[in-house]
Each structure stands twice: as C-alpha cells, then as structure tokens.
Amino acid sequence: MMDKLWYLSKISLFETLPEEDLQEIDRMAPMTHFNKLPKGTMVQTPERTREGLFFLKEGKLRLYKLNAEGKQFTAAILGPGNMFGEMDSFSFGTGGLYIETLEETLICSVLKEHFEQFLSKRPQLAMKLLKELSSLLKERDELLLKLALGTIRERVLHLLLKLSDQFGIEEEEMLRIDIALTHLEIANMIGATRESVTLALKELARENVVRTSRQSVKVHVQRAAKLLGLG
C-alpha cells in the first residue's frame, strides 16, 4: 500500500506544507476503507451526504446529478489526489450529488472538526483551499453546462476531451483515456441513450477523431477540439 505521507505530499493543496504539517494531517486521517471499494459502489447519494474531507487515494470516482426525467449528468470525475466532501467552513459542492466508484477505489478521510482546527492555525493554507475550491466548482459548472446542451456528438466530444485531459495516456498521435468505458457508461455520463452514443462514436471513428475498442477509447485531441470550435 502506498505510504500515506507520500500520497499527501502529492496532493496539490498540500504541496507547500512542511513535513511536520503533513505528519499532523497523517495522524488525523484514518483510512475510511481498509479494503478497496469495488467498481460500481455508491459512495454517496443526495439523501446520504458524507460530512468531512475525503482524499481519493487510489481509483476513480464519478460525481453526477439526475434531471427531472431521471437521466444522469456527470458533474466531475475524480482521480488519485482529488478531494471531495462537506464541512461547515468549506464545501466542495458535492452535497446533493451521487458519487460512485468507476473502478476499485481507496478513500482516506479527515474528520471535519480536526481539519477545521488544523486550518484555523494556518490561514495561508485556508486561502489556498478556497482558491482550489473556486477553481473546481467553476470547472464542474462549465462541464455540467456543456453536457446539458448541444447535440449528442458535441456532448460526447466535450466529455472525451475532459477525460483525455484528466486521464489521457499518450499513444502515437492520440490520448488513450485510462478508464474502462463502455458506450452505456458514456451515455449515462451525458444523459443520452446508448444507441445515440454508439452512432456518434462510429461517426467520429470514421473521421479519425476517436478509436474505440472493448471498454477503451482513444481521442485525437486536436481534431476533437477543432470540431467543437476550440482549436
């Protein structure tokens, strides 16, 4: 298992902290789950919001909303080093969202009372946290807007560009998204049907913008951005 101190030092929020501060966080951050959560585990529902601060140690989480028709819209996908949670003084905007694991996942937590006490002695870290939160919420709202509007093709492209940016691994001239993705999972992320997503992906494959295989998607980022008027 990865050393927790090393892991904390890799989270952007804590990268400037001295060793003694990291050790203090480490002492007050017991593991929420000693065993990995299986893929498809519901970590949170709007009716069962988790209080506290949570660090994603291994794996990936999907945060999503349901619209009035019951269709899912992805608000964010978090990878190792990301945080989520709700406290009195800080909110990651994750209350009221569904959170599920996209693969085997390990989460580490800090009780809100301990973390707020820790922050009260470190105003510079508190300001940095506010800046990180503002950026995260802005990015989430922009993604939700893009996934709620536009054609199925545009929504697929927006999602794949976002996932490529977060989880892309360079392979030749494309980025392979390091998440096992079926057509149904992509459809659920953008509030569409599997059939419409399959048609959009086939079109994009013919244009050499994406390449798909079983649970694998590669994206030519420049071509995808150009189709959306971003390149």
Side-chain angles (χ1 to χ4, degrees):
M1 187 177 289
M2 193 186 306
D3 176 73
K4 202 185 337 174
L5 267 184
W6 178 89
Y7 161 73
L8 285 172
S9 73
K10 298 299 178 185
I11 298 174
S12 62
L13 180 63
F14 302 126
E15 64 191 3
T16 58
L17 286 184
E19 184 73 12
E20 56 266 27
D21 283 353
L22 288 175
Q23 287 174 350
E24 186 172 339
I25 294 175
D26 185 56
R27 281 195 295 273
M28 65 182 186
M31 294 306 297
T32 304
H33 303 287
F34 291 96
N35 297 315
K36 290 183 179 179
L37 294 171
K39 177 181 177 178
T41 299
M42 193 63 69
V43 176
Q44 174 182 292
T45 66
E47 298 76 30
R48 187 171 54 88
T49 297
R50 287 177 173 268
E51 275 205 336
L53 188 62
F54 298 87
F55 305 108
L56 183 52
K57 186 166 184 179
E58 298 173 28
K60 296 180 181 72
L61 294 172
R62 180 166 77 100
L63 284 60
Y64 66 92
K65 289 183 174 183
L66 294 181
N67 68 6
E69 289 78 43
K71 289 200 175 292
Q72 300 178 5
F73 286 92
T74 296
I77 291 181
L78 306 182
N82 284 142
M83 295 170 284
F84 67 96
E86 301 289 324
M87 297 188 292
D88 294 336
S89 52
F90 293 103
S91 170
F92 278 86
T94 54
L97 293 177
Y98 293 88
I99 302 178
E100 70 170 350
T101 59
L102 284 177
E103 58 189 46
E104 280 195 332
T105 299
L106 193 58
I107 297 168
C108 175
S109 72
V110 179
L111 289 173
K112 69 172 187 174
E113 294 84 2
H114 292 168
F115 194 70
E116 286 173 345
Q117 186 179 16
F118 174 80
L119 281 182
S120 69
K121 302 172 186 174
R122 295 160 180 81
Q124 284 186 319
L125 180 61
M127 291 303 295
K128 186 176 181 183
L129 179 54
L130 282 173
K131 187 176 178 182
E132 292 275 335
L133 287 175
S134 174
S135 175
L136 184 147
L137 293 174
K138 180 173 181 286
E139 188 176 299
R140 187 199 70 179
D141 290 344
E142 286 175 353
L143 180 62
L144 275 173
L145 185 62
K146 289 171 183 173
L147 296 185
L149 302 173
T151 64
I152 299 297
R153 176 185 168 99
E154 288 167 343
R155 285 148 62 184
V156 167
L157 284 169
H158 277 301
L159 178 69
L160 295 183
L161 278 177
K162 176 63 180 171
L163 295 179
S164 298
D165 182 51
Q166 282 184 277
F167 307 112
I169 296 173
E170 199 165 338
E171 289 188 1
E172 298 171 349
E173 82 277 18
M174 291 186 156
L175 290 180
R176 177 175 60 81
I177 298 170
D178 189 26
I179 303 175
L181 284 175
T182 64
H183 291 192
L184 179 58
E185 285 168 329
I186 293 172
N188 285 341
M189 290 182 187
I190 64 170
T193 64
R194 183 184 60 79
E195 292 77 11
S196 62
V197 166
T198 297
L199 284 173
L201 288 171
K202 282 181 178 177
E203 272 185 23
L204 293 167
R206 283 196 295 269
E207 296 167 38
N208 205 26
V209 177
V210 303
R211 288 181 200 155
T212 62
S213 56
R214 192 174 179 275
Q215 295 194 342
S216 173
V217 181
K218 296 180 184 178
V219 184
H220 194 296
V221 172
Q222 290 79 12
R223 289 175 189 151
K226 189 173 181 180
L227 287 176
L228 289 170
L230 305 173

